[in-house]
Amino acid sequence: MTLLDNISVTFRAGCLTAIVGHNGSGKSTALKMLAGLNKPTSGAVTLDGNDVGRFSAREFAKSVAYLAQDPGHGADYTVEELIALGRYPWHGPFGRLRERDKQSIERAILLTGLEALRKRAVSTLSGGERQRAWIAVTLAQQASCLLLDEPISALDLSHQYEILLLLEQLCKQDGLCIVAVLHDINLAARFADHIVALKGGKLIADAPPATIMQSDMLRDIFGMDMLVQPHPTNGHPFALANV
């Protein structure tokens, strides 16, 4: 069974790229392949021109952080302890946290608004709080590329915007390459610099939001008629189901 077929995409530093498509289109499969978890039967996945299969796990993790769709419940860790796991690629299994590690952890806690929860057990958090803690793990890792599979799916609307604003800021200010699977095409169009659309394991579009947010293009991607119009306050293109 072919899960992804003849796809060639480049993800750039300083760019937030959203991967969109209906369920089963290959979004999570593509992200796992970028993370080196799925091996292509043909072709290659490269990082700065080097095949990802040539990196050791720790060396690869210094450059690429991956957050799964369901990363787990955090075992018996506190929020702060969980976030500290993001420093593993830098100090190994037996290394002590150095000043740089502690600074990275503190910055991740601050950026995700988890100061008040840092001593809480992860198992006691709500789904949205736990998701923010896992996002903080990827930030503490200080990788130059973040691969996020539905990072806002468990968050309420206000926290969805907070996290997407944060990702947008990290791309612009820190020059990160961020690739995120998103279900909401309107949020993708609002925050992403670039959109990759998949359907049935095939690449349908690889373009800026303005190109994607056209009725005929959205019909090709999602298989339904959608009305596109400017948002009344910010002017960004906004799609509505036209049924």
Side-chain angles (χ1 to χ4, degrees), residues 7-71:
I7 293 177
S8 179
V9 180
T10 299
F11 301 95
R12 296 176 173 83
C15 182
L16 172 55
T17 301
I19 301 180
V20 304
H22 57 72
N23 289 341
S25 61
K27 302 186 299 297
S28 294
T29 299
L31 207 66
K32 288 179 180 177
M33 194 165 290
L34 293 175
L37 300 177
N38 288 346
K39 308 299 181 184
T41 55
S42 62
V45 178
T46 62
L47 173 65
D48 295 330
N50 300 304
D51 193 303
V52 299
R54 297 184 178 180
F55 291 84
S56 70
R58 277 186 60 191
E59 285 303 312
F60 187 67
K62 289 180 180 180
S63 296
V64 178
Y66 168 70
L67 180 61
Q69 187 174 337
D70 182 12

Coordinates of all heavy atoms in Angstrom, one line a residue, residues 7-71:
I7 N 6.1 12.9 -3.8 CA 6.0 14.2 -3.1 C 7.4 14.8 -3.0 O 8.3 14.1 -2.5 CB 5.3 14.0 -1.7 CG1 3.8 13.6 -1.9 CG2 5.4 15.3 -0.9 CD1 3.1 13.4 -0.6
S8 N 7.5 16.0 -3.4 CA 8.8 16.7 -3.2 C 8.5 18.1 -2.7 O 7.8 18.9 -3.3 CB 9.5 16.8 -4.6 OG 10.7 17.6 -4.4
V9 N 8.9 18.4 -1.4 CA 8.6 19.6 -0.8 C 9.9 20.1 0.0 O 10.6 19.3 0.6 CB 7.4 19.5 0.2 CG1 7.2 20.8 0.9 CG2 6.2 19.0 -0.5
T10 N 10.1 21.4 0.0 CA 11.2 21.9 0.8 C 10.6 22.8 1.9 O 9.8 23.7 1.6 CB 12.1 22.8 -0.1 OG1 12.7 22.0 -1.1 CG2 13.2 23.4 0.7
F11 N 11.1 22.6 3.1 CA 10.7 23.4 4.2 C 11.8 24.3 4.7 O 12.9 23.9 4.9 CB 10.2 22.5 5.4 CG 9.1 21.6 5.0 CD1 9.4 20.3 4.6 CD2 7.8 22.0 5.1 CE1 8.3 19.4 4.3 CE2 6.8 21.2 4.7 CZ 7.0 19.9 4.3
R12 N 11.6 25.6 4.8 CA 12.6 26.6 5.0 C 12.7 27.2 6.4 O 11.6 27.3 7.0 CB 12.5 27.7 3.9 CG 12.7 27.2 2.5 CD 12.4 28.3 1.5 NE 12.7 27.9 0.1 CZ 11.9 27.2 -0.6 NH1 10.7 26.9 -0.2 NH2 12.3 26.8 -1.9
A13 N 13.9 27.7 6.7 CA 14.0 28.4 8.0 C 13.3 29.7 8.0 O 13.1 30.3 6.9 CB 15.5 28.6 8.3
G14 N 12.7 30.1 9.1 CA 12.0 31.3 9.2 C 10.6 31.2 8.6 O 10.0 32.3 8.4
C15 N 10.1 30.0 8.4 CA 8.8 29.8 7.7 C 8.0 28.9 8.5 O 8.4 27.8 8.9 CB 9.1 29.3 6.3 SG 7.6 29.1 5.4
L16 N 6.7 29.3 8.8 CA 5.7 28.4 9.4 C 4.9 27.7 8.3 O 4.2 28.4 7.5 CB 4.8 29.2 10.3 CG 3.6 28.4 10.9 CD1 4.0 27.1 11.6 CD2 2.8 29.3 11.8
T17 N 5.0 26.4 8.1 CA 4.3 25.7 7.1 C 3.3 24.9 7.7 O 3.5 24.1 8.6 CB 5.3 24.8 6.3 OG1 6.3 25.6 5.7 CG2 4.6 24.1 5.2
A18 N 2.0 25.0 7.2 CA 0.9 24.2 7.6 C 0.7 23.0 6.6 O 0.7 23.3 5.4 CB -0.3 25.0 7.8
I19 N 0.5 21.8 7.1 CA 0.1 20.7 6.3 C -1.4 20.4 6.5 O -1.8 20.2 7.7 CB 0.9 19.4 6.6 CG1 2.4 19.7 6.4 CG2 0.5 18.3 5.7 CD1 3.3 18.4 6.7
V20 N -2.1 20.5 5.5 CA -3.6 20.4 5.6 C -4.1 19.3 4.7 O -3.4 18.8 3.8 CB -4.3 21.7 5.2 CG1 -3.8 22.8 6.1 CG2 -4.1 22.1 3.8
G21 N -5.3 18.9 4.9 CA -6.0 17.8 4.1 C -7.0 17.1 4.9 O -7.0 17.2 6.2
H22 N -7.8 16.3 4.3 CA -8.9 15.6 5.0 C -8.2 14.4 5.8 O -7.0 14.1 5.6 CB -10.0 15.1 4.1 CG -9.5 14.2 3.0 ND1 -9.0 12.9 3.2 CD2 -9.3 14.5 1.6 CE1 -8.6 12.4 2.0 NE2 -8.8 13.3 1.1
N23 N -9.0 13.8 6.7 CA -8.4 12.6 7.4 C -8.0 11.5 6.5 O -8.7 11.2 5.5 CB -9.5 12.1 8.4 CG -9.8 13.0 9.5 OD1 -9.0 13.9 9.8 ND2 -10.9 12.9 10.2
G24 N -6.8 10.9 6.7 CA -6.3 9.9 5.9 C -5.6 10.3 4.7 O -5.3 9.5 3.8
S25 N -5.3 11.6 4.6 CA -4.7 12.2 3.4 C -3.2 12.0 3.4 O -2.5 12.2 2.4 CB -5.0 13.7 3.2 OG -4.5 14.4 4.3
G26 N -2.6 11.6 4.6 CA -1.2 11.3 4.7 C -0.4 12.4 5.5 O 0.8 12.4 5.5
K27 N -1.1 13.2 6.2 CA -0.5 14.3 6.9 C 0.5 13.8 8.0 O 1.7 14.2 8.0 CB -1.5 15.3 7.5 CG -2.5 15.9 6.5 CD -3.4 16.9 7.1 CE -4.3 16.3 8.2 NZ -5.2 15.3 7.8
S28 N -0.1 13.0 8.9 CA 0.8 12.5 10.0 C 1.9 11.6 9.4 O 3.0 11.6 10.0 CB -0.1 11.7 11.0 OG -1.0 12.6 11.6
T29 N 1.6 10.8 8.4 CA 2.6 9.9 7.8 C 3.8 10.8 7.3 O 4.9 10.4 7.4 CB 2.0 9.1 6.6 OG1 1.0 8.3 7.2 CG2 3.0 8.2 6.0
A30 N 3.4 11.9 6.6 CA 4.5 12.8 6.1 C 5.3 13.4 7.2 O 6.5 13.4 7.1 CB 3.8 13.9 5.2
L31 N 4.6 13.8 8.3 CA 5.4 14.4 9.4 C 6.3 13.4 10.0 O 7.5 13.7 10.4 CB 4.4 14.9 10.4 CG 4.9 16.1 11.2 CD1 5.2 17.3 10.4 CD2 4.0 16.5 12.4
K32 N 5.9 12.1 10.2 CA 6.7 11.1 10.8 C 7.9 10.8 9.9 O 9.0 10.5 10.3 CB 5.9 9.8 11.0 CG 4.9 9.9 12.1 CD 4.1 8.6 12.3 CE 3.1 8.7 13.4 NZ 2.3 7.5 13.5
M33 N 7.7 10.9 8.6 CA 8.8 10.7 7.6 C 9.8 11.8 7.8 O 11.0 11.6 7.8 CB 8.3 10.6 6.2 CG 9.2 10.0 5.2 SD 8.4 9.5 3.7 CE 7.5 8.1 4.2
L34 N 9.4 13.0 7.9 CA 10.3 14.1 8.1 C 11.0 14.0 9.4 O 12.2 14.4 9.5 CB 9.5 15.5 8.2 CG 8.8 15.9 6.9 CD1 8.0 17.2 7.1 CD2 9.9 16.2 5.8
A35 N 10.4 13.4 10.4 CA 11.0 13.1 11.7 C 12.0 11.9 11.8 O 12.6 11.7 12.8 CB 10.0 13.0 12.8
G36 N 12.0 11.2 10.6 CA 12.9 10.1 10.6 C 12.3 8.8 11.2 O 13.0 7.8 11.4
L37 N 11.0 8.8 11.5 CA 10.4 7.7 12.1 C 9.8 6.7 11.1 O 9.8 5.5 11.4 CB 9.2 8.2 13.0 CG 9.6 9.1 14.2 CD1 8.4 9.6 14.9 CD2 10.6 8.4 15.1
N38 N 9.5 7.2 9.9 CA 9.1 6.4 8.8 C 10.1 6.5 7.7 O 10.5 7.6 7.4 CB 7.7 6.8 8.2 CG 6.6 6.5 9.2 OD1 6.7 5.7 10.1 ND2 5.4 7.0 8.9
K39 N 10.6 5.4 7.2 CA 11.6 5.4 6.2 C 10.9 5.3 4.8 O 10.1 4.4 4.5 CB 12.5 4.2 6.3 CG 13.1 4.1 7.7 CD 13.9 5.3 8.1 CE 14.5 5.1 9.5 NZ 15.3 6.3 10.0
P40 N 11.3 6.2 3.9 CA 10.7 6.1 2.5 C 11.3 4.9 1.8 O 12.4 4.5 1.9 CB 11.2 7.4 1.8 CG 12.5 7.7 2.6 CD 12.2 7.3 4.0
T41 N 10.4 4.2 1.0 CA 10.8 3.1 0.2 C 11.6 3.5 -1.1 O 12.3 2.7 -1.7 CB 9.6 2.2 -0.2 OG1 8.6 3.0 -0.9 CG2 9.0 1.6 1.0
S42 N 11.4 4.8 -1.4 CA 12.1 5.4 -2.5 C 12.3 6.9 -2.2 O 11.6 7.4 -1.4 CB 11.5 5.2 -3.9 OG 10.2 5.8 -3.9
G43 N 13.3 7.5 -2.8 CA 13.5 8.9 -2.6 C 14.3 9.1 -1.2 O 14.8 8.1 -0.7
A44 N 14.3 10.3 -0.7 CA 15.1 10.6 0.5 C 14.5 11.7 1.2 O 13.8 12.6 0.6 CB 16.5 10.8 0.1
V45 N 14.7 11.8 2.5 CA 14.4 12.9 3.3 C 15.7 13.5 3.8 O 16.6 12.8 4.4 CB 13.5 12.5 4.6 CG1 13.3 13.8 5.5 CG2 12.2 11.9 4.1
T46 N 15.9 14.8 3.5 CA 17.2 15.4 3.9 C 17.1 16.5 4.8 O 16.1 17.2 4.8 CB 18.0 15.8 2.6 OG1 17.2 16.8 1.9 CG2 18.2 14.7 1.6
L47 N 18.1 16.8 5.6 CA 18.2 17.9 6.5 C 19.5 18.7 6.1 O 20.6 18.1 6.2 CB 18.3 17.5 7.9 CG 18.5 18.5 9.0 CD1 17.4 19.6 9.0 CD2 18.7 17.9 10.3
D48 N 19.4 19.9 5.6 CA 20.5 20.6 5.1 C 21.4 19.8 4.1 O 22.6 19.9 4.1 CB 21.4 21.1 6.3 CG 20.7 22.0 7.2 OD1 19.8 22.8 6.8 OD2 21.0 22.0 8.4
G49 N 20.7 19.1 3.3 CA 21.3 18.3 2.2 C 21.8 17.0 2.6 O 22.4 16.2 1.8
N50 N 21.7 16.6 3.9 CA 22.2 15.3 4.4 C 21.0 14.4 4.7 O 20.0 14.8 5.3 CB 23.0 15.5 5.6 CG 24.2 16.4 5.4 OD1 25.0 16.1 4.6 ND2 24.3 17.5 6.2
D51 N 21.1 13.1 4.2 CA 20.0 12.1 4.5 C 19.8 12.0 6.0 O 20.8 11.8 6.7 CB 20.4 10.8 3.9 CG 19.3 9.8 3.8 OD1 18.7 9.5 4.9 OD2 18.9 9.4 2.7
V52 N 18.6 12.1 6.5 CA 18.3 12.0 7.9 C 18.7 10.7 8.5 O 19.0 10.6 9.7 CB 16.8 12.3 8.2 CG1 16.4 13.7 7.7 CG2 15.9 11.3 7.6
G53 N 18.8 9.6 7.7 CA 19.2 8.3 8.2 C 20.6 8.3 8.6 O 21.0 7.3 9.3
R54 N 21.4 9.2 8.2 CA 22.8 9.2 8.6 C 23.1 9.9 9.9 O 24.2 9.8 10.4 CB 23.6 10.0 7.5 CG 23.6 9.3 6.1 CD 24.5 10.0 5.1 NE 24.4 9.3 3.8 CZ 25.1 9.7 2.8 NH1 25.9 10.8 2.9 NH2 25.1 9.0 1.6
F55 N 22.1 10.5 10.5 CA 22.3 11.1 11.8 C 22.0 10.1 13.0 O 21.2 9.2 12.8 CB 21.3 12.3 12.0 CG 21.5 13.5 11.1 CD1 21.1 13.5 9.8 CD2 22.3 14.6 11.6 CE1 21.3 14.6 9.0 CE2 22.5 15.7 10.8 CZ 22.0 15.7 9.5
S56 N 22.8 10.2 14.1 CA 22.4 9.5 15.3 C 21.1 10.1 15.8 O 20.8 11.3 15.5 CB 23.5 9.6 16.3 OG 23.6 10.9 16.8
A57 N 20.4 9.4 16.7 CA 19.2 9.9 17.2 C 19.4 11.2 18.0 O 18.6 12.2 17.8 CB 18.5 8.9 18.1
R58 N 20.4 11.3 18.8 CA 20.7 12.5 19.6 C 21.1 13.6 18.7 O 20.7 14.8 18.9 CB 21.8 12.2 20.6 CG 21.3 11.5 21.9 CD 22.3 11.4 23.0 NE 22.9 12.7 23.3 CZ 24.0 12.9 24.1 NH1 24.7 11.8 24.5 NH2 24.4 14.1 24.4
E59 N 22.0 13.4 17.7 CA 22.4 14.5 16.9 C 21.2 15.1 16.1 O 21.1 16.3 15.9 CB 23.5 14.1 15.9 CG 24.9 13.9 16.6 CD 25.3 15.2 17.3 OE1 25.2 16.3 16.6 OE2 25.7 15.2 18.5
F60 N 20.4 14.2 15.6 CA 19.2 14.6 14.8 C 18.3 15.4 15.7 O 17.7 16.4 15.3 CB 18.5 13.4 14.2 CG 17.3 13.7 13.3 CD1 17.6 14.3 12.1 CD2 16.0 13.5 13.7 CE1 16.6 14.6 11.2 CE2 15.0 13.8 12.8 CZ 15.3 14.4 11.6
A61 N 18.1 15.0 17.0 CA 17.2 15.7 17.9 C 17.7 17.1 18.3 O 16.9 17.9 18.7 CB 17.0 14.8 19.1
K62 N 19.0 17.3 18.1 CA 19.5 18.7 18.3 C 19.0 19.7 17.3 O 19.0 20.9 17.5 CB 21.0 18.7 18.4 CG 21.6 18.0 19.6 CD 23.1 18.0 19.6 CE 23.7 17.3 20.8 NZ 25.2 17.3 20.8
S63 N 18.6 19.1 16.1 CA 18.2 20.0 15.0 C 16.7 19.9 14.8 O 16.1 20.9 14.3 CB 18.9 19.6 13.7 OG 20.3 19.8 13.8
V64 N 16.1 18.7 15.1 CA 14.7 18.5 14.8 C 13.9 18.0 16.0 O 14.3 17.0 16.6 CB 14.5 17.5 13.6 CG1 13.0 17.3 13.3 CG2 15.2 18.0 12.4
A65 N 12.9 18.7 16.4 CA 12.0 18.3 17.5 C 10.7 17.8 16.9 O 10.1 18.5 16.1 CB 11.8 19.4 18.5
Y66 N 10.2 16.7 17.4 CA 8.9 16.1 16.8 C 7.9 16.0 18.0 O 8.2 15.4 19.0 CB 9.2 14.8 16.2 CG 7.9 14.0 15.8 CD1 7.1 14.4 14.8 CD2 7.6 12.8 16.5 CE1 5.9 13.7 14.5 CE2 6.5 12.1 16.2 CZ 5.6 12.5 15.2 OH 4.5 11.8 14.9
L67 N 6.7 16.5 17.8 CA 5.6 16.3 18.7 C 4.5 15.5 18.1 O 3.9 16.0 17.1 CB 5.1 17.7 19.2 CG 3.9 17.6 20.2 CD1 4.4 16.9 21.5 CD2 3.4 19.0 20.5
A68 N 4.3 14.3 18.6 CA 3.2 13.4 18.0 C 1.8 13.9 18.3 O 1.6 14.8 19.2 CB 3.4 12.0 18.6
Q69 N 0.9 13.4 17.6 CA -0.5 13.8 17.8 C -1.0 13.4 19.2 O -1.7 14.2 19.8 CB -1.4 13.1 16.7 CG -2.8 13.5 16.7 CD -3.5 12.9 15.6 OE1 -3.0 12.6 14.5 NE2 -4.8 12.8 15.7
D70 N -0.5 12.3 19.7 CA -0.9 11.9 21.1 C 0.4 11.5 21.8 O 0.8 10.3 21.8 CB -1.8 10.6 21.0 CG -2.2 10.2 22.4 OD1 -2.0 10.9 23.4 OD2 -2.8 9.1 22.6
P71 N 1.1 12.5 22.4 CA 2.4 12.2 23.0 C 2.4 11.4 24.3 O 3.4 11.0 24.8 CB 3.0 13.6 23.2 CG 1.8 14.5 23.4 CD 0.7 13.9 22.5

